[in-house]
Amino acid sequence: NAGVMQNPRHLVRRRGQEARLRCSPMKGHSHVYWYRQLPEEGLKFMVYLQKENIIDESGMPKERFSAEFPKEGPSILRIQQVVRGDSAAYFCASSPQQWTGYSNQPQHFGDGTRLSIL
Amino acid sequence: SQELEQSPQSLIVQEGKNLTINCTSSKTLYGLYWYKQKYGEGLIFLMMLQKGGEEKSHEKITAKLDEKKQQSSLHITASQPSHAGIYLCGAGYNNNDMRFGAGTRLTVKP
């Protein structure tokens, strides 16, 4: 998993604070996907971004969550006014081209950020 | 209901034993991806299957996709403690998001 870099690995926040999670895709990849893994649940898609564009945010909660992937720098997943239910592992994946069900290559995942809300 | 159902949910085997994990889709698959996740870590890509009847192997792990492309199995031969972890199958149905099964937690007892 050395290719996709996520930081921090662990993040602790108090209720009401903001959480910022960062993801640097693999070299040469310009497509980034964010997933959330709740305790004892599977991975759920949140958002798909290309550089400077949000392509698909159908899995994002409508409030408090936002994502960006600027021209320079990592992709950021931002959670405002965190609540206990936001505690989860957040994973970022990347691909060199837009990934679809027809793709002949996988999405490559980072090690995730484990967010804990006190 | 989930599009991808994995079974069993958890599996405990003695080192050296063979085991099989299944992944069943409610719809025809275009591609099926197997990942392994160790506790507290990220997902490691294992194998991808696209053609009906396709079979791939990597070291002691073999994955197959059935002819109808609605079920895949992951088989581990002579399991070792290093095989322990959570095995996830993933597939694409819509454009951009990979859907995952709930995972199979494998424990290998030395």
Side-chain angles (χ1 to χ4, degrees):
Chain A
N1 286 329
V4 179
M5 303 301 294
Q6 289 189 247
N7 65 84
R9 289 291 302 275
H10 301 274
L11 182 61
V12 180
R13 284 287 178 267
R14 295 188 181 279
R15 281 179 293 172
Q17 290 184 321
E18 179 180 286
R20 281 184 178 240
L21 288 61
R22 288 177 290 277
C23 168
S24 295
M26 281 183 74
K27 188 176 181 180
H29 290 194
S30 57
H31 300 257
V32 166
Y33 314 81
W34 284 94
Y35 292 82
R36 178 166 64 175
Q37 186 176 41
L38 291 165
E40 305 305 322
E41 291 188 20
L43 279 161
K44 304 291 184 186
F45 168 78
M46 299 181 76
V47 62
Y48 160 48
L49 309 104
Q50 293 180 31
K51 284 284 187 182
E52 299 186 276
N53 288 304
I54 297 174
I55 307 302
D56 181 352
E57 55 182 348
S58 58
M60 285 278 269
K62 293 203 178 342
E63 297 178 347
R64 302 186 298 108
F65 285 72
S66 62
E68 62 177 12
F69 190 12
K71 188 176 180 181
E72 301 290 338
S75 175
I76 307 285
L77 180 67
R78 182 182 177 204
I79 310 172
Q80 293 178 290
Q81 298 176 309
V82 295
V83 300
R84 289 234 170 96
D86 296 333
S87 295
Y90 291 83
F91 289 94
C92 167
S94 73
S95 62
Q97 299 160 352
Q98 179 178 353
W99 189 90
T100 72
Y102 301 90
S103 293
N104 62 359
Q105 57 194 325
Q107 294 182 7
H108 296 270
F109 283 78
D111 284 341
T113 293
R114 271 114 192 119
L115 175 64
S116 298
I117 309 301
L118 301 179
Chain B
S1 63
Q2 291 207 164
E3 284 131 327
L4 287 172
E5 295 284 344
Q6 281 188 242
S7 63
Q9 286 186 319
S10 64
L11 193 54
I12 302 173
V13 300
Q14 203 68 38
E15 182 177 357
K17 295 294 185 184
N18 303 337
L19 64 104
T20 300
I21 297 168
N22 293 303
C23 176
T24 302
S25 172
S26 59
K27 297 183 258 188
T28 300
L29 294 161
Y30 298 110
L32 191 285
Y33 304 79
W34 282 101
Y35 290 86
K36 179 185 173 185
Q37 182 180 23
K38 289 203 165 183
Y39 181 73
E41 297 181 15
L43 278 69
I44 299 168
F45 171 68
L46 295 175
M47 276 173 280
M48 175 181 69
L49 303 160
Q50 288 191 299
K51 299 176 185 174
E54 186 175 11
E55 179 176 322
K56 286 188 177 177
S57 293
H58 175 67
E59 297 179 344
K60 293 184 178 179
I61 301 176
T62 301
K64 300 179 187 178
L65 183 62
D66 76 352
E67 291 286 347
K68 292 184 180 178
K69 296 176 69 175
Q70 285 200 262
Q71 187 170 29
S72 178
S73 59
L74 186 85
H75 184 77
I76 299 178
T77 304
S79 57
Q80 301 168 0
S82 61
H83 287 128
I86 301 171
Y87 289 82
L88 294 158
C89 62
Y93 297 102
N94 299 316
N95 270 345
N96 305 123
D97 59 306
M98 189 178 291
R99 302 296 172 94
F100 287 91
T104 295
R105 187 180 295 271
L106 173 64
T107 302
V108 180
K109 289 189 169 182

